[in-house]
Amino acid sequence: MDLSPFQLSPTNPHVRLVYFTRGPASDAVTEMACTISPFGIAPSIQAERRLSRFTRVGASLAFAFPSCTLTAKFKARAGGASYEWSIVLCDDKDEFSRSALFGVALPYVAFQIGRVMFRPWLERLTTLFDDPTAEAEVDAAKAEESERIINLMKPTAERIAREEEEKKGIVIVEAKYGQTDPLGSRSYPVMGDRSIDVTVPLQSMVHDSQLRVFSVKSQLPGFHDPAPGFAKVLMVKYRFRDEPHAVCIPDDMPLTIPLRWARNHWAESSSINDGKRTIIGYSNR
C-alpha cells in the first residue's frame, strides 16, 4: 500500500491511497486507488498488459461519490501511437445500479467467459503484432555486440578481481541478468530461464571495493536485453571479506554492494535453488 500523494491546499486538499501489483509473465500492471477529499471519495481501478513487444492495451474504471459518476476508459499503445476512449456510464445516482449491472458486471463476466472459450484464437491474434524474424535479427546483433564488449573487458575485470582478492574486497563469483519468473514476487524475485552472464561487466565496474549501478541495466556495457517485453531481474553472487554474499533485485531498482544484510544469503539460498531458478530476497535496510 502506497500513500501518494498527500496534498494540502485551500483549493483541493486530498489523500490518495494506491495499491500496485505487477505480473512479470505478460508485464501486466494493476493499480487500485482511492482518492479522499472533503468533496467526496473517488475509487478507481486500472489494468494494463503487454499484448506484444511494441503493443500494450489497458482499461480503467473510476467512480466518484457523491456525484455518482461512473467512467470507463480504454487505451491502446502501438509503437509510438497512443489511443484512448472514454465512456461515461452514469452521472445520476438513480441510474447507478442499472449502469453498474449492464455497463460493468455483465461485460466483465462476458469477457472472462469469452477469454476462456476463445483463448487459442486470442493467442494467435497476438502473434500478428510481432515480426519474429526482424526481432530475432536485432536481438542477435545486440548479443554479438555485448559479447565483443565483454571480451574487451576481460583483462580489466581479471586485474580488478586480483586486486580485490588481495585486499578481501568484492569479487564477483557469478552474475546473471534476465527474465523474471512468474513464480517470484517483488519482495522475492526469481530468475527465469532466459538470462545472460554479466559477471565480467560487473567485476570491471567494481571500484574501491564498491559497486554502484543506478542506470538502466540493459544499457550498461556488456549487457543486452535477453527477454524483450518482459520484466527482468539482476542476480549477483559475490565474496566480500572472504564471506559469501548474494543479492537479487528487480530491474528498476539500483544495485549497491556490499550489503551487510546479504551475508550468508548465498549459502541459505541453496536450499531453495532447483537448478534453474534462484530465489533470493532483497531489502532496503
Side-chain angles (χ1 to χ4, degrees):
M1 180 70 69
D2 181 23
L3 181 62
S4 171
F6 177 73
Q7 179 177 337
L8 290 176
S9 68
T11 56
N12 186 26
H14 68 270
V15 176
R16 189 166 186 260
L17 304 174
V18 181
Y19 179 74
F20 179 89
T21 61
R22 183 168 187 166
S26 58
D27 197 16
V29 177
T30 303
E31 180 185 288
M32 291 173 281
C34 183
T35 302
I36 304 173
S37 71
F39 306 103
I41 300 175
S44 64
I45 181 172
Q46 60 179 350
E48 184 176 327
R49 62 159 291 167
R50 177 184 54 82
L51 188 62
S52 67
R53 184 171 184 176
F54 301 105
T55 307
R56 296 185 65 86
V57 294
S60 64
L61 186 68
F63 175 69
F65 181 83
S67 62
C68 290
T69 302
L70 185 63
T71 306
K73 290 184 179 180
F74 304 91
K75 58 182 178 180
R77 286 188 296 173
S82 180
Y83 309 93
E84 185 171 316
W85 300 268
S86 180
I87 304 174
V88 179
L89 300 175
C90 175
D91 58 359
D92 185 359
K93 62 180 180 180
D94 295 332
E95 299 293 334
F96 173 72
S97 58
R98 183 183 302 175
S99 300
L101 176 62
F102 293 102
V104 179
L106 292 181
Y108 177 77
V109 173
F111 172 75
Q112 293 297 335
I113 295 175
R115 189 173 67 169
V116 174
M117 294 178 60
F118 303 104
R119 180 180 295 273
W121 291 272
L122 292 175
E123 292 178 350
R124 293 178 185 176
L125 179 63
T126 58
T127 61
L128 299 177
F129 294 90
D130 286 328
D131 185 358
T133 304
E135 292 177 4
E137 292 177 354
V138 172
D139 295 340
K142 291 181 178 179
E144 185 178 352
E145 181 182 359
S146 298
E147 189 65 28
R148 289 198 299 266
I149 294 175
I150 289 176
N151 290 332
L152 295 174
M153 286 181 168
K154 280 183 179 179
T156 302
E158 292 173 355
R159 175 181 57 81
I160 294 176
R162 289 193 300 267
E163 294 174 354
E164 293 293 322
E165 185 74 31
E166 292 175 358
K167 59 184 179 181
K168 297 184 179 181
I170 293 178
V171 178
I172 307 296
V173 178
E174 182 185 16
K176 290 186 178 295
Y177 174 69
Q179 176 186 354
T180 302
D181 194 277
L183 293 177
S185 64
R186 185 169 178 82
S187 298
Y188 295 93
V190 179
M191 177 67 68
D193 297 327
R194 300 170 62 183
S195 63
I196 58 174
D197 189 290
V198 292
T199 305
V200 171
L202 289 185
Q203 184 67 71
S204 64
M205 296 171 61
V206 174
H207 176 69
D208 195 20
S209 297
Q210 292 185 349
L211 178 59
R212 305 286 186 267
V213 179
F214 298 100
S215 60
V216 178
K217 299 175 184 62
S218 61
Q219 304 299 321
L220 294 172
F223 282 64
H224 70 275
D225 192 341
F230 291 88
K232 282 163 283 294
V233 66
L234 176 64
M235 184 272 291
V236 183
K237 294 180 180 180
Y238 63 99
R239 290 189 178 277
F240 181 67
R241 296 178 181 174
D242 288 337
E243 294 179 349
H245 296 253
V247 61
C248 193
I249 61 171
D251 193 27
D252 57 353
M253 288 196 64
L255 172 67
T256 303
I257 59 175
L259 295 174
R260 295 180 60 186
W261 66 266
R263 179 179 177 182
N264 295 330
H265 277 209
W266 178 1
E268 293 170 4
S269 67
S270 62
S271 62
I272 50 176
N273 188 350
D274 61 4
K276 292 184 179 180
R277 305 181 179 92
T278 303
I279 305 177
I280 306 173
Y282 73 91
S283 171
N284 291 324
R285 289 177 290 172

